[in-house]
Amino acid sequence: MSKRDEIEETALPAVLVRRSDLPVPLTHPARSFFGGLPKLPPQFDWPTTEVRADVALETVALTFVAQIDLAEVPGASWSPLPTRGTLYFFCSSVFVGEGHPPCRVLYSPTDGGAHADRAPPPDLMPLAGTNGDRQVKWLNPDVDFHSKVEFKYPISFLPFRDFYFREDVVGGELMIKELCKALGPGGPQENDLLQFRSVAKYEKDEDWPFNWLLVTYVVRSVLSHVQRDLTLGYYGKPLADEATVELKRLRASAIGWLERCRALTPMDDVSPDTKATFRSWWIDVVQTYERMEGEVRTYAGEIVDDLGTAINHTIRCMFTQDVDASEDAPPSYVMNLVRQNRWKTPEARDGKYRRFSTALHQMLGYGSGPQDATEVHLEDMLLLQIQGDRVFSNWHSDVGGVLHFWIDRDALDRRDFSQVVATYECD
């Protein structure tokens, strides 16, 4: 028997989970979706657990990850999943040091639209945890809804065949063939418009800031770095007098911009003159941090990275609040978000190592990951795999990370989802 025939014999039916390109308002009628708020039956409590994002152990409500109406999932003739009902996935969004993040999966025999959205509980954990390494520090959990609740993305499902192999060229060819059969041949490997963008490009780009919400987020990001640097110093080394003066100057100017923002409507446009003035201020911030390198904790590159994150976050907020966001947001920035979800033309190396430029989420089959979770759980069922996707607000945006939810086959037969376990791997 040839190698190809051997791998073909391992084929299992599975389902690709595809999210929408852009988020939708919470009121969108989707019954299967990532993020947003679960449509939980009234008898279900929002799950809680203990996590340690920083030093202190805290009891928190888990992050809601996904709701899946099983009637929308293909495979009624072969799938071991219930053909009706809804699964609700919750997980800790603190992954630092967690190979098995706390999770809960709830199952209701009712359909995904049978109940109203459940309001988030007051103890809902900030995404990435309080003071977690992956937390977006310029989002305020007290006022920013999406500091705790992910944006809502309707999801759809495509059947495909999954194969059992590790780092195998033949297996990779079969995998790519099946994925292209389900997703199409793929598009060009285009770079993220904002990732690794230079300061010079931002300086010349007249599209930003395009509203006062973005100004608010950018100023907050600067202020969070400045306040940390003033408070913590440089890893035990006292701040030089010149650095202290510069940081206080940046703090005063940032506070001035925030006061201006408070007097304006977040979604209002920014005038051309104010755009130019704000870009000049931001360039001065970056250049000041470049001069202070080695004297403070923050690198100038962090300020630049935050701007790209703030632009994406602002556009997502626009799409959740305004049906005309596609007209109000700069088209190049919107298309940049859309492209991140597009299936890219795979290369042979991608298939061999089961690592693709596009985040591939799936149910059933073998799944993939950079370590050994798929081997350890070979006898279990893969309920859901969520690959690192830049759509998730930092806590699971690493494209090399994979979050799995596993269930014992006997427990699945009993419809007992109380013992589902999660694994998180990152290369």
Side-chain angles (χ1 to χ4, degrees):
M1 181 181 294
S2 69
K3 182 72 171 181
R4 183 176 298 272
D5 290 339
E6 289 178 3
I7 296 177
E8 280 278 9
E9 283 196 347
T10 71
L12 285 179
V15 177
L16 290 171
V17 181
R18 300 294 290 160
R19 65 170 175 85
S20 62
D21 294 332
L22 295 165
V24 296
L26 292 176
T27 55
H28 188 281
R31 299 187 306 177
S32 300
F33 47 89
F34 286 147
L37 295 172
K39 298 180 181 295
L40 277 177
Q43 69 271 23
F44 287 169
D45 293 328
W46 192 299
T48 62
T49 192
E50 289 186 331
V51 300
R52 192 188 305 275
D54 192 8
V55 176
L57 192 66
E58 55 181 332
T59 300
V60 295
L62 289 169
T63 297
F64 170 65
V65 177
Q67 171 179 314
I68 295 178
D69 186 326
L70 293 168
E72 297 184 333
V73 179
S77 62
W78 52 261
S79 171
L81 298 171
T83 57
R84 294 288 185 272
T86 305
L87 292 174
Y88 306 89
F89 294 82
F90 298 82
C91 189
S92 167
S93 59
V94 177
F95 289 156
V96 178
E98 284 284 2
H100 295 276
C103 77
R104 284 290 305 280
V105 175
L106 306 177
Y107 170 70
S108 168
T110 55
D111 69 58
H115 307 285
D117 289 346
R118 176 69 62 87
D123 59 346
L124 181 59
M125 68 185 303
L127 295 169
T130 305
N131 295 321
D133 288 352
R134 290 287 185 171
Q135 188 182 18
V136 179
K137 298 296 193 292
W138 43 264
L139 290 177
N140 183 345
D142 295 327
V143 298
D144 294 305
F145 182 77
H146 290 293
S147 68
K148 292 184 174 183
V149 177
E150 271 294 355
F151 293 99
K152 182 177 182 179
Y153 289 83
I155 54 180
S156 56
F157 307 93
L158 295 167
F160 81 110
R161 291 193 307 159
D162 199 0
F163 301 97
Y164 180 67
F165 68 93
R166 290 180 70 88
E167 300 185 10
D168 186 279
V169 174
V170 175
E173 291 175 358
L174 290 170
M175 188 77 176
I176 287 175
K177 180 180 177 182
E178 283 298 318
L179 291 174
C180 289
K181 181 179 177 181
L183 299 168
Q189 295 278 354
E190 296 173 300
N191 293 327
D192 187 324
L193 175 67
L194 302 179
Q195 192 178 28
F196 311 122
R197 199 179 200 197
S198 69
V199 176
K201 283 190 176 180
Y202 276 124
E203 185 177 15
K204 297 175 182 176
D205 185 352
E206 297 181 359
D207 279 341
W208 76 280
F210 43 84
N211 62 25
W212 285 96
L213 181 62
L214 176 56
V215 174
T216 300
Y217 286 151
V218 174
V219 175
R220 276 202 214 161
S221 76
V222 170
L223 195 55
S224 69
H225 287 292
V226 169
Q227 290 175 328
R228 184 187 70 161
D229 292 332
L230 280 169
T231 303
L232 299 178
Y234 185 62
Y235 301 103
K237 176 183 174 182
L239 286 175
D241 290 343
E242 289 184 3
T244 301
V245 170
E246 289 283 42
L247 289 171
K248 288 183 176 179
R249 178 180 69 84
L250 295 182
R251 181 175 63 184
S253 61
I255 291 172
W257 275 107
L258 279 184
E259 289 174 350
R260 188 172 178 180
C261 290
R262 293 189 185 103
L264 296 161
T265 304
M267 294 299 178
D268 279 357
D269 293 339
V270 180
S271 70
D273 288 345
T274 303
K275 281 186 176 184
T277 301
F278 186 75
R279 286 198 302 275
S280 295
W281 172 79
W282 182 82
I283 294 296
D284 174 59
V285 171
V286 175
Q287 291 175 343
T288 301
Y289 266 102
E290 287 174 344
R291 292 194 299 270
M292 293 190 298
E293 184 173 345
E295 299 179 35
V296 295
R297 291 174 180 245
T298 300
Y299 292 98
E302 296 176 67
I303 305 293
V304 181
D305 290 344
D306 279 358
L307 174 54
T309 303
I311 289 173
N312 286 339
H313 192 88
T314 301
I315 292 175
R316 288 170 180 140
C317 287
M318 295 171 72
F319 273 86
T320 63
Q321 298 177 32
D322 184 1
V323 293
D324 295 325
S326 58
E327 299 179 5
D328 297 335
S332 62
Y333 293 155
V334 174
M335 183 51 62
N336 186 57
L337 286 177
V338 169
R339 283 203 311 264
Q340 291 177 12
N341 191 43
R342 296 291 169 84
W343 170 235
K344 316 295 193 304
T345 303
E347 300 176 357
R349 179 181 175 85
D350 301 331
K352 176 181 177 180
Y353 295 103
R354 303 178 70 119
R355 297 177 189 174
F356 300 91
S357 300
T358 309
L360 292 181
H361 317 302
Q362 78 178 72
M363 302 179 72
L364 304 174
Y366 296 102
S368 59
Q371 298 167 26
D372 63 353
T374 56
E375 297 286 320
V376 172
H377 292 275
L378 190 58
E379 300 303 317
D380 295 326
M381 298 299 301
L382 177 59
L383 277 183
L384 180 63
Q385 170 181 297
I386 303 180
Q387 190 173 335
D389 190 334
R390 293 195 183 100
V391 72
F392 296 115
S393 189
N394 271 27
W395 66 275
H396 192 33
S397 61
D398 185 343
V399 294
V402 183
L403 175 65
H404 303 103
F405 293 86
W406 306 96
I407 187 170
D408 177 83
R409 293 171 186 264
D410 291 337
L412 180 57
D413 289 342
R414 299 192 304 271
R415 305 304 189 234
D416 177 7
F417 294 87
S418 63
Q419 302 301 312
V420 171
V421 298
T423 56
Y424 177 74
E425 300 181 331
C426 189
D427 57 12

